[in-house]
Amino acid sequence: MSTKQSPESTPAEWAQFIEPTRCWVERVVVGLNFCPFAKREVDAHRAHYAVADSRETPEVLQTLLEEFHRLDAQPEIETTLLILPYGFEGFFDYLDLEDWAQGLLAQEGYEGVYQVASFHPDYCFADAAEDDPANYTNRSPFPMLHLIREDSLEQALKHHPDPDSIPQTNIDLAREKGLASMQVLLGSCLKSKG
C-alpha cells in the first residue's frame, strides 16, 4: 500500500489516475465553478493528489489516516484528493467505504478538523434519477475521498455572499448544460491519462 504526491516521486503508473483527476478538477470543479473556493488553491498548487494502492477497506482506511497525518504535518497542503482506482467501482461498495471513512474521522479525533467529501463515477443523489445531470456535480473520473480543512472551509464560506445557494446553483448549471454535455466533459478527462 502506498500513496504518491509529487511528480518527482510518482511512478508512471499513478499518472493514469492522477492526470484525469487533475483534469476533472481544472475543467469541471474549477471550470464550472462547482466549488467557488477551489480555483485559488489549485492555482497556488495547494491540492494534493494521492492514490490508494489497495482494494481492501482496512488498507484504504490506513491510507486515509496517513493522509490526515500528512495534512497535520504539511499546512501548505490545503486539500487532498485520495483516488481509489481499485475495488470501489460499485457505488454501493463505495458508500460503505465512505461510512467507514466518516467513522475513522470521528474515531481519530478529526471531527471539526477535516471533512471527507465523496465523489464517484456513478454518484447518484438519493432523490435523483441516474441520468439526472445534477449527479455530475459529484461524479469524478475515479472513486475518491476528498479531504478538506474545516477551518479553511469555514473561512471561505464567511466570504461567500450566499453559501447556502452553492449546491442548488451547481445543480441548476449541470441541468442547464445537460446530460450529454456533462458526459462529454467528464469523458474528456478520462482520455487525458498520463
Side-chain angles (χ1 to χ4, degrees), residues 11-26:
E13 70 256 30
W14 298 125
Q16 66 180 312
F17 309 121
I18 293 174
E19 290 314 310
T21 303
R22 192 185 314 274
C23 171
W24 168 75
V25 167
E26 292 171 359

Side-chain angles (χ1 to χ4, degrees), residues 5 48 68-78 149:
Q5 177 181 8
H48 166 64
F68 288 146
H69 294 164
R70 184 192 308 276
L71 287 170
D72 290 343
Q74 299 182 36
E76 68 276 11
I77 298 173
E78 184 57 42
R149 293 184 184 275

Side-chain angles (χ1 to χ4, degrees), residues 15-16 19-21 23-24 27 187-194:
Q16 66 180 312
E19 290 314 310
T21 303
C23 171
W24 168 75
R27 293 183 188 175
S188 71
C189 289
L190 284 166
K191 293 174 185 167
S192 73
K193 294 183 180 182

Side-chain angles (χ1 to χ4, degrees), residues 1 3 7 10 17 19 49 63 66 100-101 103 128 139 164 166 169 175-176 181-182 187:
M1 155 185 38
T3 59
T10 303
F17 309 121
E19 290 314 310
Y49 298 85
T63 302
E66 291 168 8
W100 282 103
R139 286 194 179 175
D164 292 338
I166 294 170
T169 298
R175 287 177 174 161
E176 178 185 321
S181 177
M182 295 305 299

Side-chain angles (χ1 to χ4, degrees), residues 3-193:
T3 59
K4 303 298 173 191
Q5 177 181 8
S6 64
E8 313 83 60
S9 65
T10 303
E13 70 256 30
W14 298 125
Q16 66 180 312
F17 309 121
I18 293 174
E19 290 314 310
T21 303
R22 192 185 314 274
C23 171
W24 168 75
V25 167
E26 292 171 359
R27 293 183 188 175
V28 179
V29 178
V30 173
L32 297 180
N33 203 31
F34 280 165
C35 176
F37 322 117
K39 182 175 179 6
R40 182 181 69 183
E41 306 309 334
V42 169
D43 288 350
H45 306 288
R46 290 167 46 91
H48 166 64
Y49 298 85
V51 176
D53 185 18
S54 177
R55 58 181 63 251
E56 302 299 327
T57 296
E59 291 184 0
V60 170
L61 292 173
Q62 179 59 39
T63 302
L64 177 63
L65 183 58
E66 291 168 8
E67 291 304 322
F68 288 146
H69 294 164
R70 184 192 308 276
L71 287 170
D72 290 343
Q74 299 182 36
E76 68 276 11
I77 298 173
E78 184 57 42
T79 188
T80 294
L81 292 156
L82 178 58
I83 304 162
L84 314 168
Y86 313 115
F88 299 95
E89 296 87 351
F91 185 50
F92 293 106
D93 291 336
Y94 170 80
L95 290 178
D96 288 342
L97 174 68
E98 186 194 9
D99 285 344
W100 282 103
Q102 298 296 347
L104 181 68
L105 187 79
Q107 175 187 315
E108 295 296 323
Y110 283 120
E111 280 186 319
V113 179
Y114 304 120
Q115 281 186 17
V116 177
S118 55
F119 296 93
H120 190 279
D122 295 324
Y123 199 97
C124 189
F125 290 107
D127 57 350
E130 278 188 42
D131 62 352
D132 186 339
N135 294 318
Y136 280 80
T137 64
N138 282 63
R139 286 194 179 175
S140 54
F142 308 101
M144 67 181 72
L145 297 170
H146 180 198
L147 286 59
I148 305 164
R149 293 184 184 275
E150 186 87 30
D151 286 347
S152 298
L153 180 59
E154 287 177 7
Q155 288 301 314
L157 289 171
K158 283 181 188 175
H159 295 94
H160 191 279
D162 187 7
D164 292 338
S165 70
I166 294 170
Q168 190 60 50
T169 298
N170 293 345
I171 287 168
D172 292 345
L173 176 59
R175 287 177 174 161
E176 178 185 321
K177 292 190 77 61
L179 181 62
S181 177
M182 295 305 299
Q183 287 172 329
V184 167
L185 193 55
L186 182 58
S188 71
C189 289
L190 284 166
K191 293 174 185 167
S192 73
K193 294 183 180 182

